[in-house]
Amino acid sequence: MTTLWPTSYYTSEEHLALEQERIFERSWICAARSSDIAAPGSFVRVGVGRESVLLVRKKDGDVRALINLCRHRGAQLCLEDGGTFKNSIRCPYHGWTFNLDGHLVGAPFLHELPPETKERHLFTARAEEWLGYVWVNLDPTAPPLAEQVGPLLRKRFGDEDVPGNYGCDELRVAKEVTHEVRANWKILYENFCECYHCPTMHPEICQILPSWRTGYGTVSGPEGPKQDGSPLADGATGFSLSGKAAAPRLPGVPEKDARTFHGILLWPNVHLMFIPDHVMCMRFEPLGPERTRVVTQWLFHPDAISTPGFSPDDAAALVEVTAMEDFEACERVQAAAHSAYFEEFHTPHESLILEFRSWVHQILYPEAEGRAKETM
Ligand code: FES
Ligand code: FE
């Protein structure tokens, strides 16, 4: 497996198309917050790979993922970002109607649906809910979400269900910020795979998590990821710009984690941080070979949010100031990726990047990986 990538991996439309096809359209992608479609009939429109997908809450409480494309002449069914379908989805072009399972139930002037239309149901994708998010997979043959994230969770947290301790599906979005960064999604993702840059670039976060001054964060360490997380600085009560907690500790967080920061990257598109009083979720979506959307959500307990005087801003400010430093660095790398001299070097602090690259490469070029193993 090559660990140094050609610059086309960061700049070419063709390479991004391959990544969309083989990674984003065949993996489980964290696509939306479950509470965005809490009520029966409510929906959001999301992008998964190059496809437009409608995530709809059915009356039985399940989520249905429908490809946003009419089975008559192919028009997009829905241009809104979200809303509520009463009992059905009606195509605005000729009026074909589908129920919330995606089954064709009516077509104007065809009182009896002719036999050849019987199978013209909407195409569907798979959907699962976990951590209060809807995860989508366009590949009908892919293994369940647990098989994609399980090995990453075990490697990072051992047998402990750290995400479970924070009760993520109960939490509410207290703040959301979206950025568009002029950098390839992998440059951004790899930035979060290492903390070698933390002592140089992130004085604010090193103040709250002093162990990061070593150049190792929670996702990387001299002997691998730190299963016990990173301790908050003496005197700090929370992970925020001021060092103060924004809310009481979440109910399920054990005493041993009362002053601990945990983080994990669930590739291909999620970065999660677990802090005693809240959870932060950062999602990455490629918009082009050199442009990525980053959506960050801060999740707090509903009781904290409804407490008079509560504000997520201090907690969000620490991540935001750090993220802006990260994004600027990523844009510097992206700009240099066009140079004929562009070449990388990885220190031991950056070993997680190599694991991420190995995962990406194995998916993009399984044939090459097979050959490499045979010759080992
Ligand atoms: Fe949808 Fe004709 S394209 S009803
Ligand atoms: Fe950083």
Side-chain angles (χ1 to χ4, degrees):
M1 203 282 293
T2 174
T3 55
L4 297 178
W5 283 347
T7 57
S8 61
Y9 277 34
Y10 302 116
T11 55
S12 102
E13 293 277 359
E14 292 73 24
H15 193 266
L16 178 62
L18 186 70
E19 291 174 336
Q20 294 281 30
E21 181 202 323
R22 297 199 174 178
I23 297 176
F24 290 91
E25 295 164 14
R26 292 190 199 168
S27 306
W28 288 96
I29 301 299
C30 183
R33 188 78 189 147
S34 293
S35 56
D36 292 343
I37 48 170
S42 58
F43 74 93
V44 286
R45 182 175 57 106
V46 297
V48 180
R50 294 159 295 183
E51 300 295 344
S52 174
V53 179
L54 301 173
L55 302 177
V56 187
R57 179 74 62 187
K58 296 195 305 169
K59 283 201 176 118
D60 64 8
D62 283 350
V63 175
R64 191 78 159 150
L66 304 169
I67 306 301
N68 185 16
L69 178 154
C70 178
R71 293 300 311 282
H72 172 222
R73 292 256 304 284
Q76 284 206 318
L77 291 164
C78 179
L79 302 181
E80 292 81 38
D81 290 335
T84 303
F85 296 125
K86 282 213 169 90
N87 287 312
S88 58
I89 305 168
R90 187 166 183 271
C91 177
Y93 198 173
H94 310 89
W96 277 28
T97 304
F98 304 86
N99 68 18
L100 299 189
D101 273 318
H103 293 164
L104 177 64
V105 290
F109 310 115
L110 302 177
H111 300 300
E112 289 264 321
L113 289 174
E116 59 272 26
T117 64
K118 286 280 195 299
E119 299 303 317
R120 297 202 72 79
H121 304 317
L122 298 183
F123 292 115
T124 60
R126 291 165 62 204
E128 287 192 30
E129 289 183 273
W130 180 57
L131 305 179
Y133 283 95
V134 182
W135 303 66
V136 180
N137 196 325
L138 296 175
D139 178 0
T141 66
L145 171 62
E147 286 190 35
Q148 179 176 306
V149 297
L152 296 166
L153 289 164
R154 274 192 295 282
K155 175 149 196 207
R156 173 71 191 79
F157 298 129
D159 291 332
E160 194 183 353
D161 179 15
V162 169
N165 292 345
Y166 291 73
C168 296
D169 40 6
E170 300 290 319
L171 306 183
R172 296 277 171 273
V173 179
K175 192 175 177 92
E176 175 177 314
V177 175
T178 299
H179 293 284
E180 281 192 24
V181 186
R182 287 167 297 160
N184 182 276
W185 71 276
K186 300 186 297 302
I187 289 177
L188 274 160
Y189 207 69
E190 290 181 354
N191 167 79
F192 291 95
C193 285
E194 52 94 358
C195 209
Y196 184 48
H197 65 274
C198 296
T200 307
M201 276 196 14
H202 298 322
E204 304 85 0
I205 225 165
C206 288
Q207 188 84 13
I208 304 296
L209 301 174
S211 63
W212 287 20
R213 292 191 184 120
T214 61
Y216 290 108
T218 52
V219 295
S220 62
E223 284 94 36
K226 291 182 198 159
Q227 294 201 342
D228 50 356
S230 302
L232 297 178
D234 290 344
T237 56
F239 183 71
S240 65
L241 204 52
S242 72
K244 294 196 186 88
R249 185 177 7 145
L250 291 166
V253 176
E255 181 62 33
K256 72 171 181 59
D257 284 337
R259 299 181 35 76
T260 303
F261 172 103
H262 289 290
I264 187 169
L265 290 148
L266 296 175
W267 37 68
N269 82 322
V270 176
H271 181 202
L272 288 164
M273 297 182 188
F274 301 96
I275 306 106
D277 64 340
H278 70 278
V279 172
M280 191 221 70
C281 176
M282 199 177 255
R283 289 180 280 149
F284 303 84
E285 181 187 352
L287 299 175
E290 304 190 57
R291 220 156 50 88
T292 303
R293 179 184 292 136
V294 184
V295 179
T296 308
Q297 293 181 322
W298 286 265
L299 311 173
F300 281 85
H301 196 276
D303 291 350
I305 293 174
S306 60
T307 301
F310 166 79
S311 170
D313 291 347
D314 188 21
L318 178 59
V319 173
E320 273 294 276
V321 76
T322 306
M324 296 315 287
E325 292 158 356
D326 285 322
F327 297 163
E328 202 213 313
C330 292
E331 291 183 347
R332 283 170 184 262
V333 176
Q334 185 66 49
H338 289 274
S339 166
Y341 295 91
F342 185 79
E343 193 192 59
E344 299 169 283
F345 178 86
H346 293 120
T347 72
H349 303 76
E350 295 156 290
S351 58
L352 194 62
I353 290 181
L354 307 187
E355 286 180 39
F356 171 64
R357 288 189 179 195
S358 172
W359 183 83
V360 168
H361 204 264
Q362 194 182 320
I363 291 180
L364 292 186
Y365 304 108
E367 320 79 32
E369 288 290 315
R371 278 202 303 278
K373 282 202 183 81
E374 279 167 24
T375 55
M376 270 163 70

